[in-house]
Amino acid sequence: MINLSVQIGNLALRNPVIAASGTFGFGQEYSQLYDTSRLGAICTKGLTLHPQQGNPGPRLWETPCGLLNSIGLQNPGVTSFVEEDLPKMKEMGLVVIANVWGNTVKEYGQVVRKLSNTSVDAIEINISCPNIPGQPITGEQIARTARVVREARKACKKPLWVKLSPTGEGSSLQLARAIQAEGANAVCAANTFRAMAIDITERKPVFRNIFAGLSGPAIKPITLGIVYELSLALEIPVIGVGGITNWQDAVEFIMAGAYAVQIGTANFIDPFCGIKITEGLTTFMENESIKSWEDIRGCAHQ
Amino acid sequence: MINLSVQIGNLALRNPVIAASGTFGFGQEYSQLYDTSRLGAICTKGLTLHPQQGNPGPRLWETPCGLLNSIGLQNPGVTSFVEEDLPKMKEMGLVVIANVWGNTVKEYGQVVRKLSNTSVDAIEINISCPNIPGQPITGEQIARTARVVREARKACKKPLWVKLSPTGEGSSLQLARAIQAEGANAVCAANTFRAMAIDITERKPVFRNIFAGLSGPAIKPITLGIVYELSLALEIPVIGVGGITNWQDAVEFIMAGAYAVQIGTANFIDPFCGIKITEGLTTFMENESIKSWEDIRGCAHQ
Amino acid sequence: MDKIDVRTAPVIANDQVAPDMFLLRVQGAFPAKPGQFYMLRAWGINPPLSRPMSVFDRTDKLLSFLYAMQGQGTQLLARLLPGDKLVLFGPLGNGWNQQGDQIALVGGGSGIAPLFYTAKVFGKVDVYLGFHAKPFLLRTFEQVAKQLYVSSESGENGQKGLISNVFQPHGYDTCYACGPYAMLEALRHPCQNAGVPLFVSLEERMACGIGACLGCMVRTTQGLRRVCQDGPVFRAKDVIWDD
Amino acid sequence: MDKIDVRTAPVIANDQVAPDMFLLRVQGAFPAKPGQFYMLRAWGINPPLSRPMSVFDRTDKLLSFLYAMQGQGTQLLARLLPGDKLVLFGPLGNGWNQQGDQIALVGGGSGIAPLFYTAKVFGKVDVYLGFHAKPFLLRTFEQVAKQLYVSSESGENGQKGLISNVFQPHGYDTCYACGPYAMLEALRHPCQNAGVPLFVSLEERMACGIGACLGCMVRTTQGLRRVCQDGPVFRAKDVIWDD
Ligand SMILES: Cc1cc2nc3c(=O)[nH]c(=O)nc-3n(C[C@H](O)[C@H](O)[C@H](O)COP(=O)(O)OP(=O)(O)OC[C@H]3O[C@@H](n4cnc5c(N)ncnc54)[C@H](O)[C@@H]3O)c2cc1C
Ligand SMILES: Cc1cc2nc3c(=O)[nH]c(=O)nc-3n(C[C@H](O)[C@H](O)[C@H](O)COP(=O)(O)OP(=O)(O)OC[C@H]3O[C@@H](n4cnc5c(N)ncnc54)[C@H](O)[C@@H]3O)c2cc1C
Ligand SMILES: Cc1cc2nc3c(=O)[nH]c(=O)nc-3n(C[C@H](O)[C@H](O)[C@H](O)COP(=O)(O)O)c2cc1C
Ligand SMILES: Cc1cc2nc3c(=O)[nH]c(=O)nc-3n(C[C@H](O)[C@H](O)[C@H](O)COP(=O)(O)O)c2cc1C
Ligand code: FES
Ligand code: FES
């Protein structure tokens, strides 16, 4: 029997394929298509203390092999999530990673505290959303990020993951080390890239916030490089996210040192993408006689 | 008569379409296809003080809508360029932007000095090549970058352009302002992204240097955002480069504030790309009754 | 609800029925209610997103779409030849629910697409079609319409002007409309004044197509709603139009 | 040199001649010397690069390529149907220059592609073809070869084993070879020992195809050379093989 399981700190996943935050709702929608508990885990849409409406439209724009989104963290708020959505997710047997955004350092702590006493399996702190107006990429400020992680760590009995920005200091080793030092159990690299599009007919930016977040296959070579570097520099596990579309991409990330991968935009390219990747990984392990991901994790490091 | 010309500091170009460094050799090859003097200008392959062999192969790798390259600044050295290549370029009526790399701060000065007394039309300092082994992206060090620009400025009677990295501090406004303060006449944003690929059959990085530079349509939304921000923040002209593939892309960059655009990888997608973009821009100006680029440059700023 | 699935089906025909309008038929038995849609693709990872298209017609043996060729996705669709493969994800959305006896369907531009199958299933409905240029597929629509009303800018094969000017709500129990925003807007007040419930099918850019990404929201009096999952059909009076 | 150009040509045929091997014919009069190549594409911006392919044959009316279906580009090529459009950029590279009277052409795998047109133009040459699996296109090659030697792993329709073991350089004035690195390697010493000049056609990943990007370099005794512009044909003794 092929064993795809993976251990991320205290958390065991049946396989290393995780649905990325914001692309998979709270798991209900894709469960119309397949048994989503066959995925390693599911990251929820970003949760905030209070319900948020998100950004005005348009919220989506296509780019070459990429997608710009400006959803702006629309969500029902953490309380509603815990009452309405989480029970359904757990009933379906899903491993739930609660993705969290705080509008202030304190809010991060508050949201994490609310989640810490629930049945979520881990908490993923998003410090890197490019879609909040007026908000600089918080990942760009090492000191503030450290405070956010400290606050979250204090509030959190669960495994704590921190999701980095792919640019600026957000991806720097220095920042990642600070996050590790504050007690995070894993880092996820990376979120979407700050990017934009202009409607040349209208002669203005497509998005009301001007900037939006770039995801999809286009960014894969960059996030792969970030994961490679981070997993060399850190003791804690690194989780790869950014442009992963097929099992070969997933293997690249694992060979670059990732413990698991998250699948975002690729769900839109093929709604069965997550399942197909787990299947592809199974065949790969079989064909290459790989007993455990440890056999090849980080094997591309030199 | 449609007037596509553009003024970048002291330098007048017949149109804003420039061939990007490293993708167009010294102009001879593409001149087998069309009259390359129909382009606004041509950036040479990066020139160093001494001839350089560049990196061992493979040097190219395809990614989704993108290209990874690890050429590693193979070039005949500035002296040979001045004696052999430059005369041919000038004879063909090309506007020549000499792209320069220094392995040390001093070398930047030396190469620039050699070029300053020649017929090159401008000098473009590359502070952002991800393909030099052991070399951090120099754009990540504001202080050193300022010294490089100062050194080059001292040595240079020509228009001096500085080509930024798209990531890290290399793209930060702080760095760009420092470059402006040192007397650069324009900034080019941006160079390739530090990125990588792993050969999963070989279980190792594709490139000997591990990292390579990502270019092509994939990166366009990110570089467009950088140009938008820089052109709001700087007094000196910003030149857009990164993923521009058709005239619509070029118009997006101009509306984001660019004075000109450079075309790199798109030359490989369609060898006539540069010419087609100038033609597309002509029709665009005609249809929209645009008299001068100033009518729409930066019109997307809000 | 019928099970949502991704399937690959062979193209039977992809005929140009007007400049830039194509009728694409694929083989297979697909479940779908009137007003539902599928996400279509016939390419790899670029462009990344599939294209939402309403069901134009279906039988036990085939499914068809009527689409306008515009950007890169629909240009790739337009290149499909018989025997080529189309990837379909659906059926998606709520579709129209038949309500009342005297029903009017109003479509403008590519918004006429969902009306054929709707008329066929509902039976005995009046169909109003507004065209920009020369009308097309009129014989096809005649087969399923109780009465067919047509208008276009030139007035060819019908009346001259906007279909929203031709359509009079009085006497109908319900009106279903699909088309450009301006057309839907123009229908709202006449229907409201006549007390005729108006249902509109909305269009927004979509990524997931099933309600997971929150990319396709519309503002309604009940809050933000997902066009793909909660729509695409909404009661016009629930939609906040002053966007 | 013939003018390098980008042209779009209609596909006449794209026939599968062996598992994963296709013979693609396009219409038009294209200039090209034996051993030259074109950059081919039949897609938009993804994948970004065109695919270098040697001229398999040309006449005043058509140009053809013999290619192995492997990665995403050649998979897209393999989908082309008659009437579809192919974009061609070329002719590129130096090609072979005929030298001597007794000439041997040695090809292995997809490296047999440039040999047909070469044999046809040179005339009266011996052709050695090495196949991995079942040999194909033998009748075609018979038409242009003075003598045709064939080998494959199974030995079907020819000898069993590697073509480099079948080929004996003695008696030839020149040898031209195209195929996997291991085959070229295996030919080097026999040719050297027999004093027969060996010319090899090399393969490297290419972006520009005309010498501008420096992506396709090969190390030679004269320094780095561009396979696309200075090659693809090099004298074996000029190439530094210990890479
Ligand atoms: C539920 C629904 C049903 C539809 N049914 C039909 C139909 O039956 N026939 C028809 O001709 N058109 C229909 N449309 C519109 C159709 O989806 C768009 O015209 C099409 O997606 C444009 O794709 P493109 O490749 O031409 O444009 P591009 O400019 O390449 O599109 C870029 C992106 O924007 C999206 N987009 C662009 N225009 C629209 C639009 N009007 N609505 C939604 N997304 C858009 C595309 O899907 C893509 O994601 C429908 C739209 C929706 C939401
Ligand atoms: C001058 C020249 C002539 C050639 N002639 C023929 C021919 O006649 N018939 C034939 O079957 N093959 C030929 N090849 C090899 C052919 O170009 C590759 O098999 C093909 O590019 C692979 O593309 P892909 O889409 O299958 O692979 P992918 O894996 O999608 O390719 C990714 C990238 O690598 C490049 N690449 C991959 N393999 C090779 C290779 N072996 N050589 C060069 N680039 C490669 C591709 O061009 C592309 O840029 C030739 C190569 C060269 C350099
Ligand atoms: C529509 C959309 C919504 C997203 N929402 C969130 C979010 O709420 N929180 C978060 O941390 N990341 C969010 N992301 C980022 C993704 O989780 C992921 O990090 C990113 O898209 C890169 O991965 P991909 O290329 O596989 O999509 C969102 C991405 C998309 C496309
Ligand atoms: C093959 C190749 C070689 C390059 N060489 C150089 C170089 O020597 N100096 C430099 O400043 N930039 C170099 N670049 C970067 C390009 O000039 C350009 O900044 C980058 O490719 C982004 O633009 P694009 O997406 O249009 O290609 C090179 C790019 C490529 C693809
Ligand atoms: S398209 Fe994703 S929620 Fe509607
Ligand atoms: S492919 Fe560009 S130099 Fe050969």
Side-chain angles (χ1 to χ4, degrees), chain B residues 202-224:
Chain B
E202 302 280 330
R203 300 190 181 183
K204 60 186 180 66
V206 164
F207 297 104
R208 300 263 187 111
N209 286 346
I210 301 170
F211 289 93
L214 180 68
S215 63
I219 65 172
K220 194 204 72 176
I222 315 181
T223 47
L224 181 67

PDB file of all heavy atoms in Angstrom, chain B residues 202-224:
ATOM      1  N   GLU B 202      15.570  13.858 -12.826  1.00  0.00           N
ATOM      2  CA  GLU B 202      16.942  13.942 -12.307  1.00  0.00           C
ATOM      3  C   GLU B 202      16.971  14.228 -10.806  1.00  0.00           C
ATOM      4  O   GLU B 202      18.018  14.119 -10.161  1.00  0.00           O
ATOM      5  CB  GLU B 202      17.711  15.057 -13.025  1.00  0.00           C
ATOM      6  CG  GLU B 202      17.806  14.914 -14.541  1.00  0.00           C
ATOM      7  CD  GLU B 202      18.890  13.930 -14.927  1.00  0.00           C
ATOM      8  OE1 GLU B 202      19.867  13.819 -14.161  1.00  0.00           O
ATOM      9  OE2 GLU B 202      18.751  13.273 -15.980  1.00  0.00           O
ATOM     10  N   ARG B 203      15.852  14.674 -10.293  1.00  0.00           N
ATOM     11  CA  ARG B 203      15.750  15.040  -8.875  1.00  0.00           C
ATOM     12  C   ARG B 203      16.701  16.152  -8.470  1.00  0.00           C
ATOM     13  O   ARG B 203      17.215  16.180  -7.351  1.00  0.00           O
ATOM     14  CB  ARG B 203      15.956  13.813  -7.964  1.00  0.00           C
ATOM     15  CG  ARG B 203      14.933  12.710  -8.213  1.00  0.00           C
ATOM     16  CD  ARG B 203      15.001  11.624  -7.152  1.00  0.00           C
ATOM     17  NE  ARG B 203      14.013  10.583  -7.439  1.00  0.00           N
ATOM     18  CZ  ARG B 203      13.786   9.533  -6.654  1.00  0.00           C
ATOM     19  NH1 ARG B 203      14.461   9.388  -5.545  1.00  0.00           N
ATOM     20  NH2 ARG B 203      12.880   8.641  -6.974  1.00  0.00           N
ATOM     21  N   LYS B 204      16.947  17.061  -9.410  1.00  0.00           N
ATOM     22  CA  LYS B 204      17.775  18.214  -9.044  1.00  0.00           C
ATOM     23  C   LYS B 204      17.369  19.451  -9.836  1.00  0.00           C
ATOM     24  O   LYS B 204      16.633  19.349 -10.812  1.00  0.00           O
ATOM     25  CB  LYS B 204      19.254  17.901  -9.220  1.00  0.00           C
ATOM     26  CG  LYS B 204      19.691  17.520 -10.615  1.00  0.00           C
ATOM     27  CD  LYS B 204      21.175  17.093 -10.551  1.00  0.00           C
ATOM     28  CE  LYS B 204      21.728  16.683 -11.900  1.00  0.00           C
ATOM     29  NZ  LYS B 204      21.828  17.719 -12.915  1.00  0.00           N
ATOM     30  N   PRO B 205      17.854  20.606  -9.403  1.00  0.00           N
ATOM     31  CA  PRO B 205      17.495  21.826 -10.119  1.00  0.00           C
ATOM     32  C   PRO B 205      17.930  21.737 -11.584  1.00  0.00           C
ATOM     33  O   PRO B 205      18.967  21.138 -11.890  1.00  0.00           O
ATOM     34  CB  PRO B 205      18.273  22.921  -9.382  1.00  0.00           C
ATOM     35  CG  PRO B 205      18.503  22.375  -8.012  1.00  0.00           C
ATOM     36  CD  PRO B 205      18.684  20.899  -8.210  1.00  0.00           C
ATOM     37  N   VAL B 206      17.148  22.315 -12.456  1.00  0.00           N
ATOM     38  CA  VAL B 206      17.464  22.308 -13.880  1.00  0.00           C
ATOM     39  C   VAL B 206      18.764  23.060 -14.147  1.00  0.00           C
ATOM     40  O   VAL B 206      19.580  22.630 -14.953  1.00  0.00           O
ATOM     41  CB  VAL B 206      16.308  22.964 -14.667  1.00  0.00           C
ATOM     42  CG1 VAL B 206      16.739  23.323 -16.074  1.00  0.00           C
ATOM     43  CG2 VAL B 206      15.085  22.048 -14.669  1.00  0.00           C
ATOM     44  N   PHE B 207      18.940  24.188 -13.449  1.00  0.00           N
ATOM     45  CA  PHE B 207      20.086  25.046 -13.730  1.00  0.00           C
ATOM     46  C   PHE B 207      21.223  24.807 -12.747  1.00  0.00           C
ATOM     47  O   PHE B 207      20.990  24.586 -11.558  1.00  0.00           O
ATOM     48  CB  PHE B 207      19.664  26.523 -13.689  1.00  0.00           C
ATOM     49  CG  PHE B 207      18.655  26.868 -14.747  1.00  0.00           C
ATOM     50  CD1 PHE B 207      17.311  27.032 -14.443  1.00  0.00           C
ATOM     51  CD2 PHE B 207      19.048  27.000 -16.070  1.00  0.00           C
ATOM     52  CE1 PHE B 207      16.384  27.333 -15.419  1.00  0.00           C
ATOM     53  CE2 PHE B 207      18.132  27.299 -17.065  1.00  0.00           C
ATOM     54  CZ  PHE B 207      16.791  27.461 -16.738  1.00  0.00           C
ATOM     55  N   ARG B 208      22.415  24.892 -13.261  1.00  0.00           N
ATOM     56  CA  ARG B 208      23.590  24.705 -12.414  1.00  0.00           C
ATOM     57  C   ARG B 208      23.640  25.725 -11.278  1.00  0.00           C
ATOM     58  O   ARG B 208      24.099  25.437 -10.195  1.00  0.00           O
ATOM     59  CB  ARG B 208      24.873  24.857 -13.251  1.00  0.00           C
ATOM     60  CG  ARG B 208      24.969  23.866 -14.379  1.00  0.00           C
ATOM     61  CD  ARG B 208      25.799  22.650 -14.025  1.00  0.00           C
ATOM     62  NE  ARG B 208      25.962  21.841 -15.240  1.00  0.00           N
ATOM     63  CZ  ARG B 208      27.113  21.686 -15.888  1.00  0.00           C
ATOM     64  NH1 ARG B 208      28.228  22.238 -15.414  1.00  0.00           N
ATOM     65  NH2 ARG B 208      27.172  20.982 -16.993  1.00  0.00           N
ATOM     66  N   ASN B 209      23.168  26.947 -11.578  1.00  0.00           N
ATOM     67  CA  ASN B 209      23.143  27.984 -10.548  1.00  0.00           C
ATOM     68  C   ASN B 209      21.908  27.884  -9.666  1.00  0.00           C
ATOM     69  O   ASN B 209      21.635  28.796  -8.889  1.00  0.00           O
ATOM     70  CB  ASN B 209      23.125  29.373 -11.177  1.00  0.00           C
ATOM     71  CG  ASN B 209      24.465  29.746 -11.747  1.00  0.00           C
ATOM     72  OD1 ASN B 209      25.463  29.100 -11.468  1.00  0.00           O
ATOM     73  ND2 ASN B 209      24.471  30.793 -12.553  1.00  0.00           N
ATOM     74  N   ILE B 210      21.136  26.845  -9.843  1.00  0.00           N
ATOM     75  CA  ILE B 210      19.873  26.637  -9.132  1.00  0.00           C
ATOM     76  C   ILE B 210      18.842  27.674  -9.572  1.00  0.00           C
ATOM     77  O   ILE B 210      17.818  27.323 -10.139  1.00  0.00           O
ATOM     78  CB  ILE B 210      20.034  26.635  -7.603  1.00  0.00           C
ATOM     79  CG1 ILE B 210      21.030  25.506  -7.221  1.00  0.00           C
ATOM     80  CG2 ILE B 210      18.698  26.423  -6.918  1.00  0.00           C
ATOM     81  CD1 ILE B 210      21.474  25.541  -5.767  1.00  0.00           C
ATOM     82  N   PHE B 211      19.136  28.951  -9.330  1.00  0.00           N
ATOM     83  CA  PHE B 211      18.189  29.999  -9.697  1.00  0.00           C
ATOM     84  C   PHE B 211      18.443  30.524 -11.103  1.00  0.00           C
ATOM     85  O   PHE B 211      19.572  30.496 -11.603  1.00  0.00           O
ATOM     86  CB  PHE B 211      18.243  31.145  -8.693  1.00  0.00           C
ATOM     87  CG  PHE B 211      17.645  30.743  -7.380  1.00  0.00           C
ATOM     88  CD1 PHE B 211      18.448  30.229  -6.367  1.00  0.00           C
ATOM     89  CD2 PHE B 211      16.292  30.826  -7.172  1.00  0.00           C
ATOM     90  CE1 PHE B 211      17.899  29.819  -5.167  1.00  0.00           C
ATOM     91  CE2 PHE B 211      15.721  30.420  -5.973  1.00  0.00           C
ATOM     92  CZ  PHE B 211      16.536  29.918  -4.971  1.00  0.00           C
ATOM     93  N   ALA B 212      17.389  30.993 -11.735  1.00  0.00           N
ATOM     94  CA  ALA B 212      17.496  31.590 -13.057  1.00  0.00           C
ATOM     95  C   ALA B 212      16.522  32.756 -13.096  1.00  0.00           C
ATOM     96  O   ALA B 212      15.883  33.074 -12.087  1.00  0.00           O
ATOM     97  CB  ALA B 212      17.167  30.548 -14.122  1.00  0.00           C
ATOM     98  N   GLY B 213      16.409  33.404 -14.244  1.00  0.00           N
ATOM     99  CA  GLY B 213      15.563  34.600 -14.335  1.00  0.00           C
ATOM    100  C   GLY B 213      14.288  34.320 -15.115  1.00  0.00           C
ATOM    101  O   GLY B 213      14.342  33.835 -16.240  1.00  0.00           O
ATOM    102  N   LEU B 214      13.156  34.653 -14.517  1.00  0.00           N
ATOM    103  CA  LEU B 214      11.870  34.415 -15.186  1.00  0.00           C
ATOM    104  C   LEU B 214      11.424  35.649 -15.948  1.00  0.00           C
ATOM    105  O   LEU B 214      11.358  36.748 -15.400  1.00  0.00           O
ATOM    106  CB  LEU B 214      10.797  34.043 -14.159  1.00  0.00           C
ATOM    107  CG  LEU B 214       9.402  33.761 -14.742  1.00  0.00           C
ATOM    108  CD1 LEU B 214       9.394  32.482 -15.572  1.00  0.00           C
ATOM    109  CD2 LEU B 214       8.357  33.676 -13.632  1.00  0.00           C
ATOM    110  N   SER B 215      11.086  35.452 -17.208  1.00  0.00           N
ATOM    111  CA  SER B 215      10.586  36.541 -18.058  1.00  0.00           C
ATOM    112  C   SER B 215       9.356  36.055 -18.812  1.00  0.00           C
ATOM    113  O   SER B 215       8.949  34.916 -18.677  1.00  0.00           O
ATOM    114  CB  SER B 215      11.674  36.947 -19.059  1.00  0.00           C
ATOM    115  OG  SER B 215      11.974  35.842 -19.918  1.00  0.00           O
ATOM    116  N   GLY B 216       8.792  36.942 -19.599  1.00  0.00           N
ATOM    117  CA  GLY B 216       7.676  36.549 -20.458  1.00  0.00           C
ATOM    118  C   GLY B 216       6.315  37.005 -19.963  1.00  0.00           C
ATOM    119  O   GLY B 216       6.191  37.613 -18.897  1.00  0.00           O
ATOM    120  N   PRO B 217       5.269  36.702 -20.761  1.00  0.00           N
ATOM    121  CA  PRO B 217       3.913  37.170 -20.459  1.00  0.00           C
ATOM    122  C   PRO B 217       3.474  36.897 -19.024  1.00  0.00           C
ATOM    123  O   PRO B 217       2.726  37.692 -18.440  1.00  0.00           O
ATOM    124  CB  PRO B 217       3.034  36.371 -21.429  1.00  0.00           C
ATOM    125  CG  PRO B 217       3.923  35.983 -22.560  1.00  0.00           C
ATOM    126  CD  PRO B 217       5.317  35.914 -22.008  1.00  0.00           C
ATOM    127  N   ALA B 218       3.954  35.790 -18.440  1.00  0.00           N
ATOM    128  CA  ALA B 218       3.561  35.419 -17.077  1.00  0.00           C
ATOM    129  C   ALA B 218       3.740  36.569 -16.089  1.00  0.00           C
ATOM    130  O   ALA B 218       2.934  36.745 -15.181  1.00  0.00           O
ATOM    131  CB  ALA B 218       4.375  34.201 -16.616  1.00  0.00           C
ATOM    132  N   ILE B 219       4.806  37.339 -16.247  1.00  0.00           N
ATOM    133  CA  ILE B 219       5.163  38.332 -15.217  1.00  0.00           C
ATOM    134  C   ILE B 219       4.553  39.710 -15.464  1.00  0.00           C
ATOM    135  O   ILE B 219       4.669  40.603 -14.632  1.00  0.00           O
ATOM    136  CB  ILE B 219       6.705  38.499 -15.091  1.00  0.00           C
ATOM    137  CG1 ILE B 219       7.310  39.091 -16.373  1.00  0.00           C
ATOM    138  CG2 ILE B 219       7.359  37.152 -14.778  1.00  0.00           C
ATOM    139  CD1 ILE B 219       8.792  39.460 -16.250  1.00  0.00           C
ATOM    140  N   LYS B 220       3.882  39.878 -16.577  1.00  0.00           N
ATOM    141  CA  LYS B 220       3.407  41.214 -16.949  1.00  0.00           C
ATOM    142  C   LYS B 220       2.583  41.917 -15.879  1.00  0.00           C
ATOM    143  O   LYS B 220       2.831  43.102 -15.585  1.00  0.00           O
ATOM    144  CB  LYS B 220       2.614  41.172 -18.256  1.00  0.00           C
ATOM    145  CG  LYS B 220       2.398  42.536 -18.858  1.00  0.00           C
ATOM    146  CD  LYS B 220       1.199  42.588 -19.776  1.00  0.00           C
ATOM    147  CE  LYS B 220      -0.097  42.512 -19.003  1.00  0.00           C
ATOM    148  NZ  LYS B 220      -1.292  42.644 -19.835  1.00  0.00           N
ATOM    149  N   PRO B 221       1.605  41.257 -15.256  1.00  0.00           N
ATOM    150  CA  PRO B 221       0.784  41.988 -14.275  1.00  0.00           C
ATOM    151  C   PRO B 221       1.605  42.519 -13.102  1.00  0.00           C
ATOM    152  O   PRO B 221       1.249  43.542 -12.521  1.00  0.00           O
ATOM    153  CB  PRO B 221      -0.219  40.929 -13.799  1.00  0.00           C
ATOM    154  CG  PRO B 221      -0.199  39.843 -14.828  1.00  0.00           C
ATOM    155  CD  PRO B 221       1.168  39.853 -15.419  1.00  0.00           C
ATOM    156  N   ILE B 222       2.696  41.857 -12.784  1.00  0.00           N
ATOM    157  CA  ILE B 222       3.518  42.302 -11.651  1.00  0.00           C
ATOM    158  C   ILE B 222       4.354  43.504 -12.058  1.00  0.00           C
ATOM    159  O   ILE B 222       4.409  44.512 -11.352  1.00  0.00           O
ATOM    160  CB  ILE B 222       4.436  41.173 -11.132  1.00  0.00           C
ATOM    161  CG1 ILE B 222       3.655  39.847 -11.001  1.00  0.00           C
ATOM    162  CG2 ILE B 222       5.062  41.576  -9.808  1.00  0.00           C
ATOM    163  CD1 ILE B 222       4.492  38.691 -10.472  1.00  0.00           C
ATOM    164  N   THR B 223       5.016  43.405 -13.218  1.00  0.00           N
ATOM    165  CA  THR B 223       5.861  44.532 -13.635  1.00  0.00           C
ATOM    166  C   THR B 223       5.011  45.758 -13.944  1.00  0.00           C
ATOM    167  O   THR B 223       5.432  46.886 -13.699  1.00  0.00           O
ATOM    168  CB  THR B 223       6.741  44.166 -14.849  1.00  0.00           C
ATOM    169  OG1 THR B 223       5.950  43.516 -15.835  1.00  0.00           O
ATOM    170  CG2 THR B 223       7.856  43.236 -14.438  1.00  0.00           C
ATOM    171  N   LEU B 224       3.804  45.540 -14.444  1.00  0.00           N
ATOM    172  CA  LEU B 224       2.917  46.679 -14.694  1.00  0.00           C
ATOM    173  C   LEU B 224       2.640  47.420 -13.385  1.00  0.00           C
ATOM    174  O   LEU B 224       2.670  48.660 -13.337  1.00  0.00           O
ATOM    175  CB  LEU B 224       1.612  46.189 -15.321  1.00  0.00           C
ATOM    176  CG  LEU B 224       0.589  47.269 -15.669  1.00  0.00           C
ATOM    177  CD1 LEU B 224       1.086  48.160 -16.801  1.00  0.00           C
ATOM    178  CD2 LEU B 224      -0.767  46.651 -16.047  1.00  0.00           C
TER     179      LEU B 224
END
